[in-house]
Amino acid sequence: MSETRSPLPLLFRRHSSGEMKNLASVSSSLLPAFGTVVNENYLQLKKYVIAPYDRRYRIWQTFLVVLVVYSAWASPFELAFRKVSTGPLMIMDLVVDGFFAVDIVLTFFVAYLDKSTYLLVDDRKKIAARYLAKVWFPMDVASTLPFQTIYRIFTGKRDKGDVFGFLNLLRLWRLRRVSELFSRLEKDTRFSYFWTRCCKLICVTLFAVHSAGCFYFWLATHHKKAENTWIGSQVSGFEDRSIWLGYTYSMYWSIVTLATVGYGDLHAVNTGEKIFNMIYMLFNIGLTAYLIGNMTNLIVHSAIRTFAMRDAINEILRYASKNRLPEGLKEQMLAHMQLKFKTAELQQEEVLEDLPKAIRTSIAQHLFRNRVENAYLFKGVSVDLIVQLVAEMKAEYFPPKVEIILQNEIPTDFYIIVSGAVDILTYKNGMEQQLTKLGSSEMVGEIGVIFNIPQPFTVRTKRLSQVVRISHHHFKQMVQPHSPDGKKIICNFIQYLKGLKQEVVEEIAFLTETLGDIDIERMLSNEEQQHDGNISGNEDGNETKNTSTPLSDTLPIRVIIHGHHPNENDMEGDSAGKLIHLPSSVEDLLEIAEKKFGKKGTTILMAEGSKVEDLDVLRENDHLYIF
């Protein structure tokens, strides 16, 4: 027979990794130290050794907690009311002690975690030696032995003193199990932390009230003159009356004193009671502070977002009033701040920041990938590029009537509308004019980003809108290594521009001429050629990787051309020149100049008079003079 068995479902909670239903259970698993190699030998326990996180052992421990609750109530109660300790509760005490005796035996077979190696120790000799050397073993035995029954068996007499009543208080040692249970429940996400904490505070309060009341009654029963006690002055012959009558009076006094109400109907009469009252009230000060502190912390924690929102709104109101901002602008600021706090629970940025990048990427793919794939700019591009783009996108909410993009601002981001709608606006002669309306899966801001020009339009939300945005920098950085995808993006972009309304096209001065110069069919053929020839041979026969960027290949640098010498004035009055995309050769540039100005040129000069022979040295928005 094999001497070992696999405790895999015991060590790692209920199931193996393939069957684990609750990933939160990992938090209570035994974790090896950093650098420790966990192999199959580590997952083998000797026969008859119990893993501490065995589901069946956990159920047994939870059952014992129920018995601990009984012991916590019975021990002070039997001290105060001696008659019940030899009557109805005696048999129940013996049964409970029997269960805890079984637990002592089981503890000799429960593996433990070595604090130096963080490995599970399953050697029964080491387990026993560790348990015997700790204070737990003598205290467990002392709290389990039925001293009163043992005395009666050996002497044949029934003890009438209080010694065994105080020895029974050793059972309160078992309360450490309740503390461990609550610590475990507070970390378990399946249970509400608020209600678990409240339950713990209630249990602490009830135990304090019960113990104080029982001990106060015990003081009354052991005073020389019964009538000279707190209860004897109210109930004559209380020792011979019902047990529950005495218990009710005791609980009433204890609760009234704990609550610091102090009606004065039950008060200390003799010196011993006064001393106990003083000690109990000092204890109540600490207990009350503990309860109030915990409850305040729970309530404040649940309302902390509301406090933060109110403070932020008050700051906005003070700022708007101090700087005399227009009412409309102040309302936009307030709407944005309120929406920010309303959507904080949906975005959970603090939570996402703590997650590994792979998990954050998976979340983004699940939420926004379909929207990105349906956007016109990214139709037909590779899955790899889509995944990279979605991973870098940020989700945002905008309230109604709020500008997402302002006309003529520097293009830093472009947006894909997930839900809602926006208006595309422009300003003419100080008057606002609506050009068009865009909805779900459509894009805004991409014209300014791709052309690298100030944003041509203002974009304002019509209603509550959710968008995802990506920065200009990240977009260029991710598209550059994907040359075919870059070509496809530009083709999609040009086709989109050619389908724009005439009034929209007219708002971008150079757009009509630019669209006329671009041949989409030639671009598509270039794309196929580049896709087939990303690696080409050089003159030496060595392979060279094409490192040109797709955006720069398709949309070259923009320059401004003039049809005259730089030292001469333009006779035709076109001093602003013509904005064009820089072609790939000098010959093509001269052909474009001839088409634009109606005359053939042979010389290309810069503004300072230097002659241009290589187009690669030119930069964005350079002025070229062709004559």
Side-chain angles (χ1 to χ4, degrees), residues 520-535:
I520 295 182
E521 294 182 358
R522 179 173 60 83
M523 289 167 52
L524 290 174
S525 63
N526 289 342
E527 177 187 349
E528 295 176 357
Q529 293 175 7
Q530 184 172 0
H531 184 268
D532 295 335
N534 279 336
I535 299 178

Side-chain angles (χ1 to χ4, degrees), residues 79-199:
L79 174 66
F81 304 95
R82 194 165 48 195
K83 289 184 289 185
V84 298
S85 63
T86 57
L89 296 183
M90 185 174 182
I91 297 176
M92 186 64 183
D93 289 342
L94 291 174
V95 173
V96 171
D97 291 340
F99 280 110
F100 282 99
V102 172
D103 184 67
I104 292 175
V105 176
L106 285 178
T107 306
F108 284 95
F109 297 91
V110 178
Y112 68 91
L113 191 68
D114 191 324
K115 295 297 180 65
S116 59
T117 62
Y118 279 86
L119 296 177
L120 211 59
V121 177
D122 59 353
D123 189 322
R124 287 191 291 271
K125 292 183 179 180
K126 292 182 179 180
I127 296 173
R130 177 177 177 269
Y131 185 41
L132 293 173
K134 297 285 185 179
V135 71
W136 302 334
F137 176 71
M139 290 300 298
D140 285 347
V141 172
S143 62
T144 303
L145 288 176
F147 295 102
Q148 192 170 357
T149 302
I150 295 174
Y151 176 82
R152 187 174 180 181
I153 291 174
F154 281 96
T155 63
K157 299 178 182 179
R158 181 177 297 177
D159 179 71
K160 296 182 180 181
D162 296 315
V163 175
F164 293 111
F166 282 101
L167 287 175
N168 285 340
L169 293 179
L170 291 172
R171 296 172 183 167
L172 299 180
W173 164 256
R174 301 168 182 171
L175 285 173
R176 62 186 176 83
R177 298 175 184 269
V178 180
S179 178
E180 293 171 357
L181 174 66
F182 277 113
S183 297
R184 193 163 66 245
L185 293 179
E186 288 171 357
K187 298 174 184 177
D188 197 326
T189 56
R190 293 171 296 177
F191 300 94
S192 168
Y193 177 81
F194 178 86
W195 292 112
T196 301
R197 195 71 180 174
C198 287
C199 183

